[in-house]
Amino acid sequence: MNAVIAIDGPSASGKSTVARRLAAGAGYLFVDSGALYRGITWKALKNDMDVNSESVIDGVVDSVDFDFFTKDGAVCFRIDGVEPGLELRTEKINTKVSIIATYPSVREKVVSLLRGMRELGNLVIEGRDITTAVFPDARYKFYLDASPEERARRRHVEMAEREDIAEEAVLDSITKRDEIDTTRERDPLRVAEDAEIVDTTSMDLEEVIDYIAGRIEV
Ligand code: DC
């Protein structure tokens, strides 16, 4: 059975950058699980669907055709032959993806696809329910956290390269997503009993990576 290093945490806690770097260091594949929820949201919005309607999304979720491949040490995908790339990262998707991620039909599909990725190799995978629901048997489990203000600051720096958005608006959006992600009925974001919490508020990226790399043996 291939090894899994699982990292959960709230929006913009640095999970994906940290996970990508750890994967590169360990020679494992990096998986960004949120990208799959974003991919379903992207396809629904492209087809002008009402993402606030669970029955509408239930009706189409099975037809979202993910085609997975590995590139630069990461698991990537096309949907209907198209690689959505940075289109997954717009504020429009940010505001809708947490809603779609509350729907059980969507979660069942994504969880099953993510579990299948273990066949591809050893994984470093990040998300909201990886340590609790997708891979509760992961070899290592971490919960990355940071204050909402610090997360908004980091996400704003990242988004400002692509979109004109105020830092307060980013904080507002992150706070709303935290609320939806932690209160949804199905597999809400929470700290797994056996996960190690890493509060990165006053750490820089290199410190976080060094710390976690020092906690794992690969
Ligand atoms: O990590 P991210 O910002 O790309 O995640 C986008 C949304 O997807 C997040 O608000 C909640 C959902 N998500 C989830 O419910 N479970 C995961 N394992 C990953 C993401």
Side-chain angles (χ1 to χ4, degrees):
M1 183 84 85
N2 284 317
V4 174
I5 298 172
I7 305 178
D8 283 324
S11 296
S13 54
K15 300 179 306 275
S16 69
T17 314
V18 169
R20 191 183 282 279
R21 288 273 303 274
L22 286 173
Y28 283 20
L29 283 169
F30 163 67
V31 182
D32 166 3
S33 67
L36 277 70
Y37 293 97
R38 288 173 181 270
I40 294 171
T41 310
W42 174 79
K43 163 114 192 226
L45 291 174
K46 251 195 159 26
N47 292 345
D48 286 326
M49 285 173 184
D50 179 5
V51 296
N52 296 307
S53 163
E54 184 169 352
S55 59
V56 166
I57 299 303
D58 281 354
V60 297
V61 69
D62 279 345
S63 67
V64 182
D65 182 22
F66 283 95
D67 166 23
F68 294 103
F69 58 99
T70 59
K71 187 170 78 177
D72 300 332
V75 180
C76 306
F77 57 82
R78 294 181 200 89
I79 293 180
D80 300 337
V82 179
E83 228 184 305
L86 284 175
E87 286 184 31
L88 297 182
R89 309 283 151 196
T90 60
E91 187 54 18
K92 192 162 179 206
I93 303 258
N94 286 346
T95 58
K96 298 295 179 195
V97 61
S98 291
I99 297 168
I100 273 200
T102 64
Y103 303 154
S105 64
V106 171
R107 300 206 70 81
E108 271 159 34
K109 179 181 178 101
V110 172
V111 169
S112 148
L113 290 170
L114 293 171
R115 287 189 179 142
M117 289 180 190
R118 197 177 204 169
E119 305 296 316
L120 301 174
N122 297 318
L123 307 177
V124 181
I125 172 167
E126 56 88 0
R128 304 291 191 295
D129 63 342
I130 308 301
T131 57
T132 54
V134 180
F135 292 119
D137 61 338
R139 188 171 295 173
Y140 294 101
K141 299 184 181 186
F142 296 95
Y143 186 94
L144 245 62
D145 209 351
S147 70
E149 292 73 20
E150 175 59 16
R151 291 188 282 122
R153 191 194 64 74
R154 292 176 191 167
R155 182 54 56 89
H156 180 248
V157 169
E158 186 187 301
M159 289 182 76
E161 292 168 13
R162 306 188 298 269
E163 267 177 89
D164 185 18
I165 183 164
E167 192 169 317
E168 302 78 67
V170 178
L171 177 59
D172 186 51
S173 159
I174 280 180
T175 309
K176 286 203 179 96
R177 279 207 287 154
D178 285 355
E179 170 75 14
I180 299 173
D181 292 346
T182 54
T183 58
R184 70 172 173 241
E185 215 161 293
R186 179 73 72 105
D187 299 334
L189 170 65
R190 62 182 178 82
V191 184
E193 271 171 27
D194 50 353
E196 177 175 350
I197 300 173
V198 183
D199 185 339
T200 72
T201 306
S202 54
M203 293 166 91
D204 68 22
L205 181 61
E206 299 305 323
E207 287 173 320
V208 180
I209 290 163
D210 285 353
Y211 177 77
I212 297 183
R215 304 287 295 162
I216 60 181
E217 256 176 59
V218 293

